[in-house]
């Protein structure tokens, strides 16, 4: 009898067949040769059953029927692909052995395991585990097939992940939806990610900018001229700043301290998927999903890169030879000049920045294969370019700099200067050739003021200062600045936060250690972000991610219910870590699922005692998805669930009515005779008595400023804010207070330092 090979997708199946059965007959849904029958899944052919498969009563969403905890999970074929599942079952009858050739990862293992379970396949199983789809890798993989039993722990982790998501998502989504009569999608990973975005947006809204001043001076010594920044406590007084500036200008000074040392900058790490998605978002504005799709096409269809769904930035010893061959291949491509300038000796098994087997688990870092790039689309070429430049950089020497630190003293005042003098570009010659590099850095690009605070780069001259000779302060000036709020998440920065479970970790080593505790996996993070968009919890404003009113309310209801774990990035990251341990045989899937079941019961108990939220909390219909009220694995389908009432439209006579919030009241309504409380809405702060006719509202945006809750408190209690910095249309700066009118209508105006209206 023959051996059945089950690939994950048709393209993969055809690539495999071209190597192991080049003369196989094409039967459209499978290929058959003398020894092998090669067929394929089309993603997930089988999935977990809906609740009504256990009891018809679950067709209607009812809080009293929860929790739903199956003793044994049922699986069902995907109706859209049931014909392909049938094909696999039929050809399997003619085979004595099976090769699992699905993607070499957790989800690929699960896809095969569900097919095997549904079709009751009893044949011995071998596992094809390869990182790219080149003929050489496929041939080598089949020559070194592994026993399927070696991957049982990975299968257990995959099942636990899927069933945990089903329990949390299906029960929590139904509980919150039926309790609050509005479709609320809740998930083990998506909800903590939403909470990250929500918390960042609240930080931004609560931020109150502070004005401060910076004194800069320009010093000259013969032909050398450099700039220094005054050192001391932050200056908040314009008068004191002006005094320092006037004190030093035109005066002679001395170099109080001078240090110089040579530094090296080594190439950035090879790409894993998350890092590739982050940089593609920063440079090209691609969503995480788009980058994944493009990388998958480069892997599957074009076969020019290795397996992209990896979480490793390193390679194994056996990859080094392939890297050298790939370098040679690139010499005959458009990257020829770059490849010719590379030094193969720099990439070897002792180079721990590249070859670190202890940091490689299922898959090594993303690498080019030996296949030359053919007809790539522009977007595919952009992703390939990122991968190639990063790959080639490790064959180049480090960039070399001299780091100069100068403390200059004038009239008792100290100024600090940092100079980064370029000695040799090294690997950076590769990115210098990319003319658009600096223009495309997106959200990671520093503002002009921030750049001035950084070390000054001297790329075309040497910094030759004589520390024992005097200097002259040619010019000094005072610059007015303002503290900046945290930046909104982009998809790139959100992926970084998901990777470290929301912890702000700048240290590369510590971030590496947190990878097993991140939110989701490299393969699933893009889908999580897309899910949040689809259910109406977040929207995109250019590259910035913004929480909708519905998304805000979802987070607040979950936290108010006392199930903080559902919205806790760090705790949910620990769950992902436990799943990783299960995949390595270091933890029990049974124990993990018992804990998930206990948590599911606690969610239902707490949500049941929560007061129903008013419909107006969830924003307008723009946030309400369309569709049926059921979904898989917590992915509650868009629309109203059975038994849920439709939310009323907003009154056309009161557009953007202030929306009541479950948060504490923010202050008393100043309108005479009202007595209501001010609460936060999507676009403004309004009176909770709006249904009774009170129209008081303070809009969140005024004169280019965002009205924070701290500013609101000042307006309600004192009628005005403290002095704030503003700019006129001609660019000149001035200071003024925002003032609340006494008319009880929430109207705002500006008043200058001298008390005159603007």
């Amino acid at each position: 009898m023959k051996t059945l090979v089950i690939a994950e997708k048709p393209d993969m199946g055809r690539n495999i067949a071209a190597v192991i059965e080049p003369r196989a007959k094409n039967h459209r849904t499978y290929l058959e040769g003398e020894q092998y029958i090669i067929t394929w899944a089309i993603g997930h052919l089988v999935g977990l059953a809906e609740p009504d498969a256990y009891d018809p009563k679950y067709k209607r969403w009812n809080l009293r029927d929860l929790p739903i905890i199956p003793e044994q999970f049922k699986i069902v074929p995907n109706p859209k692909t049931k014909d392909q599942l049938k094909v696999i079952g039929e050809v399997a009858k003619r085979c004595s052995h099976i090769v699992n050739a699905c993607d070499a990862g957790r989800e690929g293992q699960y896809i095969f395991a569900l097919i095997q379970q549904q079709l009751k396949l009893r044949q011995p199983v071998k596992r094809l585990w390869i990182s790219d789809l080149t003929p050489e890798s496929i041939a080598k993989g089949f020559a070194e097939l592994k026993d399927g039993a070696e991957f049982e722990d990975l299968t257990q982790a995959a099942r636990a992940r899927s069933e945990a998501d089903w329990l949390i998502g299906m029960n929590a989504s139904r509980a919150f939806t039926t309790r609050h009569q509005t479709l609320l999608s809740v998930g083990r990973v998506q909800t903590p990610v939403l909470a990250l975005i929500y918390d960042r947006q609240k930080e931004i809204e609560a931020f109150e900018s502070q004005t401060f001043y910076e004194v800069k001076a320009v010093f000259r010594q013969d032909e050398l001229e450099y700039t220094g920044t005054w050192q001391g406590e932050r200056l908040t007084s314009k008068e004191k700043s002006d005094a320092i500036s006037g004190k030093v200008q035109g005066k002679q000074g001395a170099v109080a301290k001078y240090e110089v040392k040579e530094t090296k900058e080594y190439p950035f790490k090879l790409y894993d998927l998350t890092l590739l998605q982050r940089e593609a978002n920063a440079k090209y504005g691609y969503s995480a999903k788009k980058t994944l799709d493009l990388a998958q096409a480069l892997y599957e269809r074009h076969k020019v890169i290795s397996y992209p769904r990896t979480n490793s930035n390193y390679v194994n010893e056996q990859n080094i030879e392939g890297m050298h061959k790939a370098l040679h291949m690139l010499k005959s491509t458009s990257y020829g000049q770059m490849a010719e300038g590379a030094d193969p000796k720099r990439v070897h098994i002792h180079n721990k920045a590249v070859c670190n087997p202890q940091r490689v688990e299922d898959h090594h870092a993303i690498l080019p294969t030996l296949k030359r790039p053919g007809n790539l689309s522009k977007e595919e070429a952009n992703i390939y370019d990122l991968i190639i430049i990063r790959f080639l950089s490790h064959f180049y020497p480090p960039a070399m700099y001299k780091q100069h630190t100068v403390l200059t003293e004038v009239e008792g005042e100290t100024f600090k200067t940092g100079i980064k003098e370029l000695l040799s570009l090294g690997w950076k010659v590769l990115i210098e050739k990319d003319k658009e590099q600096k223009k495309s850095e997106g959200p990671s690009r520093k503002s002009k003021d921030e750049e001035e605070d950084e070390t000054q780069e001297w790329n075309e001259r040497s910094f030759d200062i004589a520390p024992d000779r005097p200097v002259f302060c040619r010019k000094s000036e005072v610059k007015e600045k303002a503290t900046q709020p945290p930046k909104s998440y982009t998809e790139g920065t959100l992926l970084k936060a998901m990777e470290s479970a929301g912890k702000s970790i700048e240290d590369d080593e510590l971030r590496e250690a947190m990878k097993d505790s991140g939110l989701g996996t490299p393969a699933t993070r893009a889908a999580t972000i897309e899910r949040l968009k689809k259910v109406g919890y977040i929207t995109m404003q250019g590259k910035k991610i913004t929480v909708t009113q519905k998304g805000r309310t979802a987070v607040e209801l979950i936290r108010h219910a006392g199930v903080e774990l559902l919205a806790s990035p760090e705790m949910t990251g620990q769950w992902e870590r436990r799943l990783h341990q299960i995949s390595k045989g270091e933890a029990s899937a049974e124990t993990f699922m018992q804990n998930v079941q206990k948590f599911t019961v606690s969610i239902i108990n707490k949500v049941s005692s929560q007061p129903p939220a008013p419909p107006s909390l969830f924003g307008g219909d723009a946030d309400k998805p369309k569709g049926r009220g059921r979904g898989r694995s917590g992915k509650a389908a868009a629309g109203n669930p059975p038994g849920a009432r439709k939310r009323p439209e907003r009154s056309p006579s009161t557009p953007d009515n202030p929306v009541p919030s479950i948060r504490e009241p923010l202050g008393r309504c100043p309108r005479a005779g009202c007595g209501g409380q001010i609460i936060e809405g999507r676009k403004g702060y309004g009176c909770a008595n709006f249904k009774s006719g009170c129209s008081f509202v303070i809009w969140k945006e005024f004169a280019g400023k965002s009205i924070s809750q701290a500013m609101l408190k000042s307006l309600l209690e004192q009628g005005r804010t403290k002095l704030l910095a503003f700019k006129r249309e001609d660019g000149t700066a001035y200071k003024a207070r925002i003032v609340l009118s006494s008319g009880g209508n929430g109207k705002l105006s500006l008043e200058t330092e001298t008390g005159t209206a603007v």
Side-chain angles (χ1 to χ4, degrees):
M1 297 179 78
K2 297 180 180 180
T3 296
L4 176 63
V5 178
I6 302 176
E8 188 162 321
K9 294 178 183 176
D11 276 353
M12 295 173 66
R14 295 186 188 103
N15 289 334
I16 290 169
V19 175
I20 64 172
E21 286 283 10
R23 297 180 181 177
K25 186 177 179 181
N26 190 341
H27 294 273
R28 195 174 62 82
T29 53
Y30 67 95
L31 297 158
E32 185 167 359
E34 293 182 4
Q35 289 182 276
Y36 295 98
I37 298 176
I38 303 99
T39 188
W40 42 79
I42 309 170
H44 283 269
L45 300 184
V46 183
L48 296 179
E50 295 285 339
D52 58 76
Y54 301 92
D55 192 319
K57 70 179 181 181
Y58 294 138
K59 285 185 178 179
R60 289 188 64 82
W61 291 25
N62 194 323
L63 188 57
R64 292 188 299 273
D65 292 334
L66 303 178
I68 306 169
I69 301 180
E71 288 186 18
Q72 186 169 350
F73 281 87
K74 296 181 179 181
I75 60 174
V76 293
N78 182 338
K80 294 180 180 178
T81 55
K82 65 178 190 284
D83 290 343
Q84 185 62 21
L85 183 65
K86 185 178 178 182
V87 167
I88 296 174
E90 289 173 349
V91 296
K93 294 173 184 176
R94 300 191 282 118
C95 298
S96 58
H97 292 77
I98 297 176
V99 174
N100 173 7
C102 292
D103 272 0
R106 190 169 77 184
E107 285 309 298
Q109 192 68 18
Y110 190 45
I111 286 171
F112 176 82
L114 290 180
I115 293 171
Q116 186 182 32
Q117 179 183 343
Q118 177 68 22
L119 296 177
K120 297 181 174 60
L121 303 179
R122 303 289 182 233
Q123 297 92 327
V125 175
K126 294 289 186 181
R127 186 58 158 110
L128 177 69
W129 193 268
I130 57 177
S131 287
D132 63 64
L133 291 171
T134 59
E136 296 85 358
S137 292
I138 293 170
K140 189 171 186 288
F142 268 87
E144 301 171 355
L145 287 173
K146 301 176 185 296
D147 195 301
E150 292 181 30
F151 298 87
E152 182 56 31
D153 290 331
L154 186 60
T155 303
Q156 290 298 319
R159 286 190 189 276
R161 193 280 308 161
S162 180
E163 293 172 4
D165 283 348
W166 193 99
L167 284 175
I168 298 298
M170 202 65 75
N171 283 284
S173 293
R174 288 185 174 221
F176 280 101
T177 294
T178 53
R179 191 61 181 162
H180 302 292
Q181 295 294 296
T182 299
L183 183 79
L184 293 172
S185 178
V186 181
R188 182 182 64 87
V189 176
Q190 74 171 43
T191 301
V193 174
L194 175 63
L196 281 178
I197 304 167
Y198 169 92
D199 289 340
R200 175 61 59 85
Q201 195 156 317
K202 292 296 294 177
E203 284 182 60
I204 294 169
E205 291 169 358
F207 182 82
E208 193 165 347
S209 181
Q210 303 290 325
T211 300
F212 67 98
Y213 301 90
E214 192 175 75
V215 181
K216 285 189 174 286
V218 178
F219 301 105
R220 175 177 287 171
Q221 187 186 75
D222 299 330
E223 300 300 315
L224 179 71
E225 202 168 85
Y226 63 96
T227 302
T229 303
W230 182 82
Q231 300 297 289
E233 292 184 1
R234 174 170 281 183
L235 295 167
T236 55
S237 165
K238 178 72 160 59
E239 292 74 19
K240 183 177 179 180
S241 305
D242 287 337
I244 293 171
S245 178
K247 179 181 178 182
V248 300
Q249 183 161 319
K251 302 294 176 57
Q252 183 172 293
V255 176
K257 186 177 181 181
Y258 174 61
E259 291 180 349
V260 60
K261 60 180 180 179
E262 288 197 3
T263 61
K264 299 178 180 180
E265 284 190 19
Y266 289 91
F268 300 127
K269 291 186 295 186
L270 293 168
Y271 284 123
D272 61 8
L273 177 60
T274 302
L275 185 55
L276 179 64
Q277 289 170 317
R278 283 167 45 191
E279 300 212 359
N281 179 257
K283 185 168 184 179
Y284 300 115
Y286 294 166
S287 69
K289 180 180 184 301
K290 183 168 188 173
T291 299
L292 175 56
D293 290 345
L294 292 168
Q296 197 69 20
L298 291 171
Y299 165 66
E300 272 184 33
R301 189 163 67 249
H302 300 289
K303 299 183 281 296
V304 294
I305 66 167
S306 62
Y307 185 72
R309 297 171 187 245
T310 175
N311 69 344
S312 177
N313 304 101
Y314 302 93
V315 303
N316 289 309
E317 292 180 2
Q318 57 265 38
N319 299 123
I320 298 298
E321 183 182 353
M323 292 180 72
H324 287 172
K325 288 180 178 179
L327 174 64
H328 182 73
M329 177 275 294
L330 290 170
K331 291 180 180 180
S332 59
T333 70
S334 58
Y335 298 96
Q337 186 179 352
M338 295 180 182
E340 289 291 349
D343 179 3
K345 294 178 183 177
R346 291 191 171 274
V347 173
H348 51 79
I349 61 173
H350 300 298
N351 181 349
K352 294 301 180 184
V354 176
C355 183
N356 196 336
Q358 292 182 331
R359 298 279 185 88
V360 181
E361 292 183 353
D362 296 336
H363 300 286
H364 56 69
I366 301 173
L367 299 173
T369 66
L370 302 184
K371 190 174 186 299
R372 289 177 179 78
N375 189 24
L376 304 182
S377 71
K378 182 179 179 182
E379 291 174 334
E380 289 169 342
N382 285 340
I383 298 300
Y384 186 68
D385 188 68
L386 287 176
I387 294 167
I388 295 302
I389 298 300
R390 183 61 56 92
F391 169 79
L392 288 173
S393 68
H394 287 274
F395 291 91
Y396 276 74
M400 302 288 291
Y401 295 91
K402 266 188 182 178
Q403 189 74 44
H404 304 263
T405 303
V406 185
L407 293 182
T408 307
E409 196 170 282
V410 183
E411 297 292 312
E413 305 293 344
T414 302
F415 294 79
K416 185 176 181 179
T417 302
I419 299 290
K420 188 177 180 181
E421 179 188 340
L422 176 67
L423 300 178
S424 170
L425 271 174
W427 64 272
K428 288 191 174 182
V429 70
L430 299 173
I431 56 175
E432 286 294 318
K433 291 176 181 177
D434 181 357
K435 301 296 185 182
E436 296 303 310
Q437 177 75 16
K438 295 185 185 296
K439 298 179 182 177
S440 308
E441 289 177 352
S444 64
R445 188 177 182 181
K446 296 180 177 66
S447 69
K448 186 177 179 182
D449 285 343
E450 288 174 320
E451 285 174 349
E452 289 174 354
D453 292 335
E454 299 287 332
T455 298
Q456 302 162 47
E457 291 202 9
W458 287 41
N459 293 341
E460 297 176 359
R461 51 184 170 155
S462 60
F463 184 77
D464 299 317
I465 190 169
D468 55 344
R469 293 180 53 217
V471 297
F472 176 71
C473 181
R474 186 178 65 79
K475 183 179 74 172
S476 65
E477 60 179 339
V478 174
K479 293 195 173 186
E480 182 178 299
K481 295 196 168 187
T483 55
Q484 299 298 310
K487 293 183 182 296
S488 297
Y489 277 121
T490 64
E491 289 202 26
T493 56
L494 180 60
L495 285 167
K496 180 179 179 182
M498 291 171 73
E499 189 174 45
S500 56
K503 289 187 174 180
S504 179
I505 301 174
E506 295 304 321
D507 182 83
D508 282 346
E509 292 296 316
L510 186 55
R511 190 183 306 121
E512 188 76 30
M514 278 295 294
K515 275 190 172 184
D516 295 342
S517 304
L519 292 174
T521 65
T524 62
R525 287 173 188 142
T528 298
I529 296 172
E530 292 302 309
R531 180 70 193 156
L532 293 174
K533 295 176 188 175
K534 185 176 180 181
V535 298
Y537 285 162
I538 63 172
T539 58
M540 302 300 298
Q541 295 182 344
K543 286 187 179 181
K544 293 180 181 179
I545 301 174
T546 304
V547 180
T548 64
Q549 181 61 37
K550 183 179 180 182
R552 287 172 179 263
T553 301
V555 173
E556 291 163 4
L557 286 173
I558 289 166
R559 287 176 168 168
H560 191 66
V563 283
E564 176 62 24
L565 178 59
L566 261 182
S568 168
E570 186 172 346
M571 289 298 294
T572 307
Q574 293 303 321
W575 287 19
E576 199 67 51
R577 183 183 184 188
R578 186 56 49 87
L579 287 168
H580 181 77
Q581 290 172 339
I582 293 169
S583 74
K584 298 298 175 185
E586 299 166 359
S588 163
E590 185 178 354
T591 302
F592 173 77
M593 290 305 298
Q594 287 172 354
N595 290 331
V596 172
Q597 289 175 9
K598 290 176 185 176
F599 182 57
T600 302
V601 172
S602 73
I603 292 171
I604 305 307
N605 291 338
K606 290 179 178 178
V607 175
S608 298
S609 61
Q610 189 175 36
S616 54
L617 266 172
F618 300 98
D621 277 348
D623 291 341
K624 183 172 72 174
K626 307 292 186 282
R628 298 189 309 156
R630 294 192 297 151
R632 293 184 179 273
S633 303
K635 299 177 181 179
N640 289 306
R645 67 173 183 263
K646 283 191 175 181
R647 298 195 299 278
E649 302 281 352
R650 285 183 173 176
S651 166
S653 62
T654 55
D656 294 312
N657 280 336
V659 180
S661 172
I662 63 174
R663 292 183 293 276
E664 292 297 316
L666 302 175
R668 186 169 294 278
C669 178
R671 190 172 182 182
C674 175
Q677 294 290 334
I678 300 300
I679 53 179
E680 183 177 358
R682 182 171 53 173
K683 294 186 178 179
Y685 304 99
C687 181
N689 289 345
F690 70 92
K691 288 186 178 179
S692 304
C694 182
S695 59
F696 180 87
V697 60
I698 293 176
W699 302 110
K700 287 184 177 179
E701 296 291 333
F702 177 73
K705 295 285 186 187
S706 294
I707 306 297
S708 67
Q709 288 190 10
M711 294 164 71
L712 174 74
K713 186 177 180 181
S714 295
L715 289 168
L716 295 176
E717 294 178 357
Q718 303 168 23
R720 65 193 59 216
T721 67
K722 64 180 184 180
L723 281 171
L724 303 169
F726 293 87
K727 281 194 175 181
R728 299 183 178 87
E729 290 185 5
D730 61 4
T732 58
Y734 69 97
K735 286 191 173 182
R737 293 179 173 87
I738 299 176
V739 179
L740 177 65
S741 75
S742 58
N745 56 8
K747 186 177 180 181
L748 302 177
S749 60
L750 290 178
E751 183 181 278
T752 64
E753 292 178 89
T754 57
T756 57
V758 178

